[in-house]
Amino acid sequence: VPVELRRRDGSFTEKVALFFDSERLEVTPNEVSVAVPMARIREQQLAEVALQVNPPPDSLRYELSEPHVRLTLRGPEARMAALTAAEVQLVVDLSLLGVGEHDSVTVEPRVPAWSQLVRVEPASVRAIILPAPAPQESTAPQLPQPVPGTAGSP
């Protein structure tokens, strides 16, 4: 007899009969208990999730068309209710891109294993990689050097 799930609201345990149609074999035990964990599923949107950039921003000059994106996840209702943006990472990998404009850099979502990714909006962003700043010359004032044979020189 199949275990009916349609009218269930949550987790349950039920005894199930085992049946094996054979004259030469016997099944022992003839019933088992089946535990079925069930949870309501819900979708949740996280708005304004900040993009994380690889490599870290202090080693690269860049501009992104969108600093934040929207993310929609699906998962067990209780876990979704407790979900925070800190549990999700949205990464833009700029490490292999050269200087210039890049129109479609994919946003790579990293979400909890218990959840399912529904959508990322936008799924890609435009990135502009800027040239590294030129090293600045010292702007310390130069002191006059004494001329030999004049006052103040040895």
Side-chain angles (χ1 to χ4, degrees), residues 28-153:
T28 306
N30 61 358
E31 71 178 19
V32 294
S33 290
V34 177
V36 181
M38 292 179 64
R40 291 192 180 279
I41 300 296
R42 105 174 192 204
E43 282 189 12
Q44 180 172 328
Q45 184 180 86
L46 298 173
E48 300 296 312
V49 179
L51 291 174
Q52 296 178 13
V53 177
N54 180 31
D58 58 349
S59 63
L60 187 68
R61 290 181 47 212
Y62 66 92
E63 295 175 6
L64 297 176
S65 61
E66 303 282 338
H68 300 87
V69 298
R70 289 172 304 286
L71 174 75
T72 305
L73 296 177
R74 177 180 298 129
E77 189 172 49
R79 287 190 136 174
M80 293 302 289
L83 180 69
T84 66
E87 296 176 78
V88 174
Q89 291 182 318
L90 297 170
V91 179
V92 176
D93 188 355
L94 304 181
S95 65
L96 300 177
L97 302 179
V99 171
E101 290 190 35
H102 304 275
D103 288 332
S104 185
V105 181
T106 302
V107 175
E108 301 170 14
R110 297 178 186 158
V111 300
W114 52 262
S115 68
Q116 177 185 7
L117 178 66
V118 176
R119 104 185 109 260
V120 176
E121 298 174 293
S124 63
V125 296
R126 187 170 62 92
I128 301 172
I129 310 297
L130 304 169
Q136 294 182 352
E137 292 184 26
S138 173
T139 59
Q142 296 291 325
L143 297 175
Q145 297 296 318
V147 177
T150 62
S153 67

